[in-house]
Amino acid sequence: MSLSASPSAPAPKDPSMTSDRLPLSFLAHVRIVLFKELVDAVRDRRTLLRMLVPAVMMGPLMLAALSGLIASLEERAEKRELTVAGLEHAPTLENYLLRQTYTLKTAPADYEQKLRATQLLEPVLVIGKDFEQQLLEGERPTVEVVSDSANQRAQVAVNSVQRLLRGFNQERAGLHLALRGVSPELLQSVDIEERDLASAQARATRITSIVPMFIIMAVLYGALTAALDSTAGERERGSLEPLLMNPASPMALVMGKWGAVALSGIAVAALANLSFLPAQYLIQSDSLQAMFQFGWGEALRCLAVQLPLAAGVGALLMAMAVRTKTFKEAQASATLAMTLISLAPMVGLMNPGGEADWYYWVPGLAQNTLMLQVLKGEALTLAKWMPSVLVCGAMTLAGLLFIARSMRLAVAR
């Protein structure tokens, strides 16, 4: 009697096996998770728009507003107008000002109140009643240049009024010396010539130094939403635990999620960089437009500076959010890191001693310093770029290891 072997039931198919029965590799798991996270990010269009619009539009709009302010100041300077109170008491000074091609306007009676209320946007030259009499008697009459330091537009023109009055003093002193047979050249023992070593691009950075700060903020907010959603967001929705039950290793899951977060930050940073290319056509000031040179080369170099920051910040934000239970709790945890990195560039603005070597080792401050050098037209050397790469690389590695350990503990529980 022959026994025939009964057909065995097919074994259940392991999702980690391919069609030829080989297990998926580590990189394949990373690729699957990365694709899944990117698809989830693109599907949430409302959040995507709230993230992209400020990052792409805010910097160019601020640059356009700043250029409009500079253009208005230049227009005022070209008009050569001066607001004077008590001009009738100083015909000699009036004659000098008219010869300097200035248009003289009578100040309103309540000029002090209007200066405080920012209704009067230029300083007022106040002349006393005894000005002409004191001038004829050889005394030194006093005039006042009235402004309000809180009224910035009026404060800007104070130096030009003071230069006018110094010119009047020099002319009067020269006339007195000439009447006594003394050469007026004796008043100036030395001829002074100014030579500015800064290039046009370097001079423009005094105004365009806000550009790197906006690009850094774009990187931070581009990575923030993706980092919190892929950790605390999934935990709150209840989809993180089922994901951890897959045969993929925790590190593969972490690498896939981190890759999507870093790509989100880099993508927003790229858009923020490119937005300044057409933004140059919105600049109203001709002098600023001539100095501000931001082409494709500058945009690509600034993007290269941001790559390490996007990687490090993505891992840091994920590490801070991975053990939180809700999205709001994760946002509160990430606020400290976001604040420190976004305010780091302020150190360079408040330090009058210039750039220090340790700037290149501080995330946020290093990127701001390097982008300012790009805007000045300086070369982006490897020696200056590598410290930020090393620091952000260490921050990335530490963050990924911490997240993977946290996920392993979650699986064990």
Side-chain angles (χ1 to χ4, degrees):
M1 183 177 177
S2 63
L3 296 175
S4 59
S6 60
S8 59
K13 190 172 184 180
D14 190 345
S16 66
M17 307 288 287
T18 60
S19 57
D20 54 358
R21 315 297 268 178
L22 292 177
L24 289 173
S25 64
F26 177 84
L27 292 179
H29 283 136
V30 172
R31 186 173 62 251
I32 292 172
V33 177
L34 174 62
F35 181 75
K36 174 254 182 192
E37 294 293 335
L38 292 176
V39 170
D40 289 345
V42 173
R43 282 177 179 171
D44 192 358
R45 296 180 181 177
R46 183 177 299 178
T47 303
L48 194 63
L49 287 176
R50 283 201 300 263
M51 177 182 63
L52 288 178
V53 172
V56 174
M57 298 299 296
M58 191 60 67
L61 289 178
M62 183 62 69
L63 182 62
L66 183 62
S67 71
L69 173 62
I70 296 173
S72 66
L73 295 177
E74 291 175 344
E75 184 179 358
R76 276 176 46 195
E78 291 176 358
K79 288 182 179 179
R80 300 177 71 82
E81 294 179 345
L82 183 61
T83 303
V84 188
L87 184 62
E88 65 276 6
H89 307 309
T92 304
L93 179 58
E94 179 183 10
N95 176 268
Y96 171 80
L97 295 175
L98 291 175
R99 283 188 284 111
Q100 305 305 312
T101 68
Y102 270 79
T103 301
L104 305 180
K105 299 186 300 183
T106 303
D110 57 344
Y111 63 85
E112 291 187 3
Q113 181 180 353
K114 289 188 174 182
L115 280 171
R116 292 193 185 99
T118 323
Q119 296 176 353
L120 185 61
L121 303 180
E122 52 193 22
V124 177
L125 177 62
V126 181
I127 303 173
K129 295 181 180 180
D130 300 329
F131 178 90
E132 197 68 24
Q133 183 64 29
Q134 292 177 345
L135 197 66
L136 293 175
E137 294 176 357
E139 299 180 8
R140 297 177 61 182
T142 301
V143 296
E144 293 181 327
V145 181
V146 182
S147 181
D148 189 330
S149 58
N151 186 343
Q152 295 184 1
R153 292 204 176 189
Q155 188 68 18
V156 168
V158 168
N159 289 334
S160 61
V161 177
Q162 292 177 345
R163 284 196 298 270
L164 272 175
L165 296 176
R166 285 196 294 268
F168 176 75
N169 284 335
Q170 290 177 357
E171 182 179 88
R172 294 290 301 178
L175 289 174
H176 284 301
L177 291 175
L179 290 174
R180 289 166 173 78
V182 180
S183 173
E185 294 182 357
L186 294 177
L187 292 175
Q188 295 182 352
S189 302
V190 178
D191 289 333
I192 302 174
E193 294 183 359
E194 293 186 7
R195 184 160 59 98
D196 191 353
L197 299 178
S199 63
Q201 287 180 270
R203 291 194 297 271
T205 54
R206 292 179 298 179
I207 302 170
T208 59
S209 57
I210 61 171
V211 171
M213 298 182 67
F214 279 105
I215 297 177
I216 292 173
M217 293 300 296
V219 175
L220 295 177
Y221 283 101
L224 175 66
T225 303
L228 301 188
D229 187 70
S230 64
T231 50
E234 288 207 8
R235 184 184 295 276
E236 190 173 18
R237 293 190 298 269
S239 59
L240 183 60
E241 285 74 10
L243 183 62
L244 295 175
M245 299 305 296
N246 281 280
S249 66
M251 182 55 76
L253 296 176
V254 171
M255 290 292 292
K257 287 177 172 293
W258 167 78
V261 172
L263 285 176
S264 298
I266 293 170
V268 178
L271 291 175
N273 275 286
L274 297 178
S275 67
F276 284 101
L277 296 177
Q280 297 177 77
Y281 297 102
L282 301 177
I283 297 179
Q284 303 176 33
S285 169
D286 293 337
S287 59
L288 180 59
Q289 192 171 40
M291 291 188 295
F292 183 60
Q293 302 294 328
F294 193 87
W296 284 97
E298 287 77 13
L300 293 176
R301 287 196 293 273
C302 286
L303 181 60
V305 168
Q306 297 304 317
L307 294 179
L309 183 65
V313 166
L316 176 64
L317 294 176
M318 289 178 64
M320 299 182 73
V322 69
R323 291 195 175 183
T324 58
K325 296 181 180 180
T326 63
F327 195 86
K328 288 185 177 180
E329 185 182 352
Q331 283 182 320
S333 300
T335 300
L336 177 61
M338 295 283 290
T339 303
L340 291 176
I341 296 176
S342 61
L343 293 181
M346 299 298 295
V347 175
L349 297 177
M350 294 184 294
N351 183 17
E355 299 171 1
D357 292 338
W358 60 270
Y359 282 12
Y360 301 104
W361 297 90
V362 181
L365 179 58
Q367 283 70 31
N368 183 76
T369 304
L370 291 171
M371 283 191 287
L372 283 177
Q373 293 177 357
V374 171
L375 291 177
K376 291 177 182 177
E378 299 179 7
L380 184 61
T381 62
L382 189 63
K384 294 180 178 179
W385 186 54
M386 280 306 296
S388 65
V389 173
L390 295 176
V391 171
C392 292
M395 190 163 61
T396 302
L397 180 60
L400 293 180
L401 293 175
F402 177 81
I403 301 166
R405 180 175 178 274
S406 299
M407 287 190 173
R408 279 194 295 268
L409 292 176
V411 172
R413 288 197 297 265

